[in-house]
Amino acid sequence: MEKGRFDNPIEAVLVGVKELFTRQNNLRPILDTDRLDGKTALITGANSGIGFAVAVEYARRGAHVIMACRGGIPEAGEKVKKLSGSDKVDMMKVDMTNVHSIYQLTKQLKDRKIKLDVVVDNAGVTPPFARKTIHGLEEMFAVNYLSKYVFINRLLQDGTIPNASFAGNPLPDGQPRPRILFTSSDSHRNASPIDTEKLGIYEDYNPTKAIKLYGYYKLILNTYAVELSRRLNPNGRIDVGVYPLCPGAVRTNIIRDAPPLLKFALGGIFYVLFQSPEKATGPFVYLGAGPEVEGSTCRYLHMMAEKEMDEKVYDAEAGKRLWERSEEILDGL
Ligand SMILES: NC(=O)c1ccc[n+]([C@@H]2O[C@H](COP(=O)([O-])OP(=O)(O)OC[C@H]3O[C@@H](n4cnc5c(N)ncnc54)[C@H](OP(=O)(O)O)[C@@H]3O)[C@@H](O)[C@H]2O)c1
């Protein structure tokens, strides 16, 4: 991989802190009128960190919230109810390393005839050393990218997220379009171009490579998001909005698996300098509930600043190859 904006976990954290203190917002502040009444919002990885805070905020703003989680059932849901003052909160189980578990969740949603207005696909991991999933894939690749391809595409094929291209069940004209948000990272700018041939092939790595791979998988995620938007919204008519975003540096459990010394060093910075998950919910509320987002797609927020993503993300040929390679990987599981 090429030299990027940072080359190790400490540098990456320091870049995150610098961005928190030099941030330039170019969007309006979040308002009490950014509501989600009558909407159903599903959030993955909602039992911890950013996903949990978004679940509280969405429930507080009137949404029926479905927390799709591996752990924390039912405690996390009870906590969200208490903190938001809403009882329209459900939890559903899913393990994003296991495609069968993902399909089980999508089937349950379909069987219950649930229609999703907002999906925040947020679950993510940063294992410092490579780990294998039950399918023999590398876990960070599986959770941070492939699970999203599998989950979102199946929700679209099932019509659980109403849409014309995949399910032929678009919402009637004049009704707000569904919105798909991906918790990504500005570290996608740190990554080399996608090597489609090697994608999905298991390789060991160490903590220094882990931080580069993290940005690389977020580049892949953003490239998928743009390709998905192309396929959902041909001919310029917006049927479903797709929005990758970076919440900035947030004090969460994301470094839970780091080696003890590194965890100690990073932990101090996390707790003193990083923003709280509650503070990080701004871009999720703006993209999930903001009225001015209606009729748009592929808008990328880095905290409360709207930006272009790295130019590699918009390469249509790379998007097409990524889609085809993802299908091949799934066929081989
Ligand atoms: N923290 C930051 O500074 C930062 C910055 C930019 C982007 N992000 C992104 O924000 C997202 C959320 O991370 P976080 O910082 O809030 O960390 P976190 O507190 O560790 O939350 C990660 C969430 O993902 C879930 N998850 C992990 N593996 C899963 C699996 N196999 N199946 C189902 N759920 C799984 C976790 O569930 P369990 O509790 O069951 O493991 C947890 O709910 C990630 O995509 C991350 O890349 C974070």
Side-chain angles (χ1 to χ4, degrees):
M1 294 211 173
E2 293 159 10
K3 167 99 180 118
R5 291 190 307 153
F6 43 80
D7 272 330
N8 61 61
I10 300 275
E11 265 182 35
V13 164
L14 293 176
V15 167
V17 170
K18 185 172 159 232
E19 285 171 352
L20 275 183
F21 286 97
T22 55
R23 69 174 129 185
Q24 287 176 343
N25 297 351
N26 60 15
L27 296 173
R28 63 157 175 84
I30 297 302
L31 304 169
D32 289 346
T33 49
D34 292 319
R35 299 282 309 174
L36 287 160
D37 303 290
K39 309 260 186 199
T40 300
L42 180 144
I43 303 157
T44 71
N47 58 308
S48 169
I50 296 164
F52 178 83
V54 173
V56 173
E57 203 50 44
Y58 276 17
R60 191 177 280 148
R61 289 171 186 273
H64 166 209
V65 170
I66 300 173
M67 301 165 68
C69 300
R70 172 172 61 177
I73 302 174
E75 318 84 74
E78 292 309 313
K79 252 173 108 178
V80 170
K81 283 184 189 167
K82 206 167 159 197
L83 289 169
S84 65
S86 165
D87 60 0
K88 289 182 289 175
V89 178
D90 290 309
M91 292 197 83
M92 295 179 80
K93 188 153 181 80
V94 66
D95 180 350
M96 292 295 183
T97 62
N98 181 339
V99 293
H100 306 300
S101 172
I102 298 174
Y103 289 147
Q104 211 171 11
L105 172 62
T106 55
K107 183 171 183 314
Q108 286 166 359
L109 290 161
K110 188 180 176 192
D111 290 349
R112 290 188 206 172
K113 301 193 185 337
I114 288 172
K115 297 285 178 242
L116 300 172
D117 300 289
V118 183
V119 178
V120 181
D121 204 342
N122 162 79
V125 285
T126 50
F129 297 97
R131 296 196 293 232
K132 262 189 194 163
T133 69
I134 58 152
H135 302 296
L137 294 169
E138 187 265 291
E139 182 181 335
M140 187 162 36
F141 168 72
V143 177
N144 292 15
Y145 167 62
L146 195 65
S147 75
K148 298 177 192 315
Y149 180 90
V150 174
F151 184 51
I152 297 295
N153 285 10
R154 183 55 70 95
L155 289 175
L156 288 163
Q157 285 154 7
D158 287 347
T160 302
I161 302 173
N163 70 99
S165 301
F166 289 60
N169 70 339
L171 294 172
D173 283 347
Q175 222 170 293
R177 304 292 98 185
R179 301 181 187 188
I180 302 170
L181 280 56
F182 292 108
T183 312
S184 186
S185 166
D186 218 50
S187 68
H188 78 275
R189 298 184 200 281
N190 203 41
S192 322
I194 302 173
D195 183 347
T196 323
E197 301 285 304
K198 282 198 181 157
L199 204 65
I201 297 172
Y202 181 90
E203 260 184 53
D204 281 322
Y205 64 74
N206 59 23
T208 299
K209 180 119 188 258
I211 200 68
K212 292 187 178 182
L213 277 177
Y214 178 79
Y216 182 58
Y217 294 145
K218 295 294 189 187
L219 173 82
I220 292 174
L221 174 62
N222 292 359
T223 305
Y224 160 63
V226 174
E227 178 64 16
L228 178 67
S229 177
R230 272 188 210 107
R231 291 176 186 234
L232 285 168
N233 305 303
N235 317 318
R237 183 182 172 277
I238 304 302
D239 189 34
V240 179
V242 184
Y243 311 98
L245 69 103
C246 173
V250 192
R251 194 188 311 138
T252 67
N253 287 323
I254 196 84
I255 53 162
R256 67 180 92 176
D257 296 323
L261 205 60
L262 185 62
K263 199 168 167 181
F264 179 74
L266 296 181
I269 303 174
F270 259 56
Y271 280 90
V272 177
L273 297 173
F274 276 27
Q275 60 182 331
S276 68
E278 295 73 32
K279 267 204 154 169
T281 57
F284 295 89
V285 174
Y286 185 87
L287 289 173
E292 57 277 83
V293 175
E294 192 54 42
S296 71
T297 189
C298 276
R299 291 176 67 178
Y300 170 71
L301 302 194
H302 179 198
M303 297 177 273
M304 287 301 281
E306 182 157 8
K307 294 179 179 175
E308 290 287 300
M309 292 179 266
D310 186 277
E311 61 182 14
K312 295 193 276 300
V313 166
Y314 302 100
D315 178 346
E317 195 47 45
K320 183 169 172 285
R321 283 200 309 270
L322 173 65
W323 195 281
E324 289 164 358
R325 178 69 191 136
S326 305
E327 284 300 312
E328 268 174 31
I329 295 169
L330 287 175
D331 286 347
L333 297 186

